[in-house]
Amino acid sequence: MSGADPGRTGRRRLAALAALALAGAAAWALREVPAQFGRRPDASDPRVRASPQYRDGVFHNAPSELAAGAPGRPDGATLRRMLFEKEGRVPTAPVPLAVPEVSGGASAGVAVTWFGHASALLELDGCRVLVDPVWSDRCSPSRLTGPKRLHPVPVELAELPQVDAVLISHDHYDHLDMATVRRLVELQSAPFAVPLGIGGHLRRWGVPEHRIIELDWDETCTLGELTLTLTAAHHFSGRSLARNTTLWGSWVVAGPERKVFFTGDSGYFEGFARIGEQHGPFDAALMAIGAYDPAWADIHLNPEEAVRAHLELRGGLLLPIHWCTFNLAPHPWAEPVERLLAEAKAQGVPLAVPRPGQRVEVANPPELDGWWESLV
């Protein structure tokens, strides 16, 4: 018998080494996945147990609605559209970014710098508030898979000025990002104001206890001249298979003279009118307009519903968020803003549509220039 082919043996060894290297790389990339899931709140926490939104071990949208009944779970047809109907769902050219104007003092009026999706810097009455900051490349527990950014972040976290508060609306990956939180712990000294239960995630990720403020719906905290109120939203929560172990919400950000509303994520519900009655009018409202679909109509506003909710909130200038940055639904990429423009015009709602990174002075908003139109 002839001896083994040295060339074949070498190729097998190389293949085995390559497989080991790939396995090692995958293991390295996945090493943070367990931490990404965060930490479930202690069910014996008296604040959690006392919440009117909490029963049967989970949080609910309203006493008559069982949020544990899986809101927003797509059916098979919707999943097939998500996976296979790709036409028009991403921009056809690079999204034009603006260089953020974040140096100097905060506006004595109201200004908003939108960074993409739901991340924004609010300035009002000389204060700064950072909302739902997500700077990672993917909104996913893994760096290997999941929705990837359609445009770069317009500014690095280290270039942001010091803020007075960081607000989180809920714990989904496109609104609460572990890597961003950890970096903000290093770069900023501001507290994180979050809905009940999300403090557990932050503690696991190294946020000091004195920088965590957890609120239930209609609870308020005061930070200097800022008053922050967690208001209701119609949504759900979860970073793993377990759902609704943490609360979700919207935010009212109030200074001595001015107010801004931030939807976070929500479907349309009668609570917008109540928030408008209790806290409005607002100088500006950041309204979610994208990632909608009939399969989850109860948890995400479509553009027409966003205009209706804005009117009920008495929202002032409407600034659309929750579009442009991640491909999270089967609708075309620019459809949310195109439908929004038509409805806002029909209802007489003032509107600004900034590029990612563009700062909007609410008292003097930029004219609509249709920057997205060449990207479809």
Side-chain angles (χ1 to χ4, degrees):
M1 294 179 62
S2 60
D5 182 349
R8 179 179 296 177
T9 301
R11 288 192 294 273
R12 286 175 176 170
R13 287 176 178 171
L14 285 173
L17 287 172
L20 284 172
L22 285 172
W28 178 258
L30 294 172
R31 73 194 187 283
E32 289 189 334
V33 168
Q36 288 273 14
F37 292 155
R39 179 182 297 154
R40 293 186 63 159
D42 184 355
S44 64
D45 184 333
R47 293 202 62 214
V48 170
R49 294 175 64 88
S51 170
Q53 283 62 248
Y54 188 82
R55 62 183 183 279
D56 304 324
V58 292
F59 288 95
H60 299 266
N61 277 306
S64 61
E65 298 164 341
L66 294 178
R73 290 194 190 275
D75 56 20
T78 304
L79 287 173
R80 284 191 293 273
R81 286 191 292 119
M82 288 286 294
L83 292 172
F84 301 114
E85 295 182 11
K86 304 292 187 180
E87 186 69 25
R89 287 174 54 189
V90 298
T92 58
V95 173
L97 306 181
V99 178
E101 303 171 24
V102 293
S103 60
S107 173
V110 180
V112 177
T113 303
W114 178 58
F115 301 118
H117 201 58
S119 303
L121 180 66
L122 314 181
E123 302 172 47
L124 69 164
D125 292 336
C127 301
R128 288 189 174 99
V129 176
L130 187 62
V131 297
D132 281 4
V134 173
W135 256 249
S136 288
D137 197 41
R138 295 183 186 272
C139 53
S140 164
S142 169
R143 286 183 277 179
L144 298 177
T145 188
K148 190 173 183 179
R149 282 187 170 274
L150 301 177
H151 64 79
V153 290
V155 63
E156 295 301 322
L157 281 173
E159 298 175 42
L160 293 181
Q162 289 295 301
V163 301
D164 297 281
V166 180
L167 304 188
I168 304 298
S169 63
H170 63 296
D171 70 0
H172 287 157
Y173 290 98
D174 57 323
H175 294 258
L176 177 62
D177 178 51
M178 181 180 73
T180 302
V181 167
R182 286 176 166 174
R183 188 75 173 124
L184 288 172
V185 170
E186 300 171 358
L187 296 170
Q188 299 277 344
S189 59
F192 293 77
V194 301
L196 279 178
I198 292 179
H201 300 329
L202 302 187
R203 293 179 185 96
R204 182 171 185 180
W205 300 339
V207 180
E209 188 67 36
H210 71 274
R211 291 181 60 181
I212 299 173
I213 301 169
E214 292 184 84
L215 300 178
D216 202 346
W217 288 352
D218 298 320
E219 289 186 342
T220 292
C221 68
T222 301
L223 300 173
E225 293 192 311
L226 281 174
T227 300
L228 309 173
T229 304
L230 182 69
T231 42
H234 198 282
H235 201 57
F236 71 108
S237 67
R239 297 179 70 85
S240 61
L241 295 178
R243 283 193 170 202
N244 305 317
T245 59
T246 63
L247 188 58
W248 49 93
S250 55
W251 284 98
V252 171
V253 182
E257 303 293 335
R258 296 166 178 85
K259 293 181 182 178
V260 175
F261 179 77
F262 174 64
T263 56
D265 261 359
S266 182
Y268 178 80
F269 74 124
E270 62 184 12
F272 287 120
R274 291 195 298 269
I275 294 168
E277 292 171 0
Q278 295 171 7
H279 300 282
F282 297 94
D283 295 273
L286 282 68
M287 303 298 296
I289 67 164
Y292 50 81
D293 190 84
W296 53 80
D298 57 335
I299 58 164
H300 279 176
L301 294 164
N302 66 36
E304 293 78 17
E305 290 170 332
V307 171
R308 179 183 177 186
H310 182 85
L311 289 168
E312 293 178 351
L313 288 161
R314 297 186 288 162
L317 184 71
L318 192 159
L319 290 134
I321 61 168
H322 211 267
W323 80 286
C324 178
T325 306
F326 296 110
N327 180 4
L328 301 177
H331 60 64
W333 173 75
E335 182 184 281
V337 72
E338 291 171 345
R339 287 173 56 176
L340 178 72
L341 258 65
E343 185 67 13
K345 182 178 180 180
Q347 300 297 333
V349 170
L351 179 70
V353 185
R355 293 166 171 79
Q358 185 175 0
R359 183 173 182 266
V360 174
E361 284 280 359
V362 169
N364 185 29
E367 293 185 7
L368 296 171
D369 61 3
W371 59 263
W372 59 89
E373 292 172 355
S374 63
L375 308 181
V376 298

